Amino acid sequence: NILDQNSGEKSSPMIVEAKPKICGSNLIYAKQDGNIGAVNFRTGKRVWYKKYGEISSSGWPRLRGFTCYFDKELGVDIILLPSAEGVFCINSNDGSLLNSRCKKGKLGVYESRVSPRILNNIVYVATINPPAIQAFDYLSGKVLWHKELTVDKASGRSPSSSPRMVTIPSWTWDMANSQWELIDKRYPGL
């Protein structure tokens, strides 16, 4: 099977819950050994197959998604891939790290396992070790802000939010003005 070639590593398997996605002319997929790859979605021919970062984690070896984003300036689809050591920014055409963006191809150092979001050149990343949300400038890779999502067990309070509540940034589409609007949602503390 073409998708299993070059995958001889012996390590505990990752639980992959990420759906394959079409990114430009390629179908991007993830495997249990921590590799991701691309096949031409029209022909099924393999384009590339690589491993990025470490799959070992803080006890939660899962990949729940990745993001595909078209960079208009570069004219290429970019994959934002969460890992145990940050989010990798990958050229979907050839699998290379995107050195001209994301601080030489990688955002942050904390473990993330869910799809990052990008809006107006800001990449939002949820991390699990430590539990937090971060915002990065997509072009430079600079951390714009970091919000810890921990709760003090003694008081039940989350730092800088009301008791047992965590504020998480979200967006809604303003149909009247045809633009995204940043909103805050409050959730019970974690």
Side-chain angles (χ1 to χ4, degrees), residues 166-179:
V166 174
T167 301
I168 299 178
S170 188
W171 298 271
T172 185
W173 182 253
D174 181 349
M175 292 178 63
N177 296 316
S178 296
Q179 66 183 14

Side-chain angles (χ1 to χ4, degrees), residues 55-62 83-86 109-113 125-130:
I55 69 166
S56 64
S57 70
S58 61
W60 206 72
R62 288 170 170 76
S83 77
E85 51 190 59
V109 296
Y110 298 126
E111 182 174 1
S112 177
R113 296 300 182 179
V125 176
T127 63
I128 60 170
N129 188 19

